[in-house]
Amino acid sequence: MSSEKGNVSRTRPQRYQNARAFRNDKYDTSARRKKINAKLHDGVCQHCKGILEWRVKFSKYKLLSKPKKW
């Protein structure tokens, strides 16, 4: 799609679609990955909870080395 002003409509459908959903535990079967997947995000607002769940789902979440003040 061009970046020129006003050109926002597509003339063709999407070419490729994902056949399978992403799995964050397909190749990483470590205990750390299992711990991250099992973690419940309680005590945070709905927006932050959604962000944390997205990060876990796509393997972007990292455990904190020391507790952080909320």
Side-chain angles (χ1 to χ4, degrees):
M1 190 157 53
S2 177
S3 61
E4 68 185 46
K5 190 174 181 181
N7 187 12
V8 293
S9 61
R10 293 183 66 100
T11 57
R12 62 170 179 81
Q14 183 174 340
R15 185 173 291 167
Y16 299 108
Q17 293 185 351
N18 292 333
R20 292 171 294 279
F22 179 78
R23 286 180 48 207
N24 66 358
D25 59 349
K26 187 173 183 179
Y27 300 109
D28 186 9
T29 57
S30 63
R32 185 175 192 177
R33 174 61 50 203
K34 291 176 185 172
K35 185 178 177 182
I36 289 172
N37 287 340
K39 185 168 177 56
L40 295 176
H41 301 286
D42 294 334
V44 296
C45 67
Q46 191 65 32
H47 177 73
C48 294
K49 185 175 181 177
I51 292 172
L52 291 172
E53 288 174 352
W54 183 90
R55 292 180 73 86
V56 167
K57 183 178 178 182
F58 292 106
S59 299
K60 305 292 183 182
Y61 183 81
K62 293 179 183 174
L63 294 171
L64 297 175
S65 57
K66 55 184 175 181
K68 189 173 184 180
K69 187 176 180 182
W70 189 257

